[in-house]
Amino acid sequence: MRKQCDQKLLIRMKTECLPCSLNLETQCPAGYTKITNGTGIPDCRYYLEIKTHTLSFPGCRHLCTKEFEQPECCQGHWGPDCMGK
């Protein structure tokens, strides 16, 4: 009888906002999978500082996911027997 019922968690994150034209080559951090294509999602703004002014421009970013298994005991069980090593 299995005492360990690991939970699969899906972690999502977005890359830094960049000019859309520069975002084609953007990679997700190690271990993450890019789930957006091309220039990504145009849902953010990036900032450029020019002398005394800060300008805001529409930009793009990518969505990344990572699957993660969290060790957990099955219902009705507890203790070291069913915790992940």
Side-chain angles (χ1 to χ4, degrees), residues 2 4-5 11 14 19 28 36 38 41 51 55 59 73 78-79:
R2 282 189 64 222
Q4 189 161 334
C5 293
I11 302 167
K14 289 181 177 175
C28 292
T36 43
I41 317 159
K51 293 185 179 163
L55 303 177
C73 294
W78 56 89

Side-chain angles (χ1 to χ4, degrees), residues 1 11 20 28 33 35 44 47 50 53 64-65 74 77 81-82:
M1 185 167 162
I11 302 167
C20 295
C28 292
T33 305
I35 60 171
C44 61
Y47 300 92
I50 300 170
H53 300 301
C64 307
T65 62
C74 295
H77 295 277
D81 288 354
C82 59

Side-chain angles (χ1 to χ4, degrees), residues 34-52:
K34 186 168 22 171
I35 60 171
T36 43
N37 296 319
T39 56
I41 317 159
D43 70 342
C44 61
R45 296 188 79 75
Y46 66 96
Y47 300 92
L48 281 183
E49 284 185 37
I50 300 170
K51 293 185 179 163
T52 57

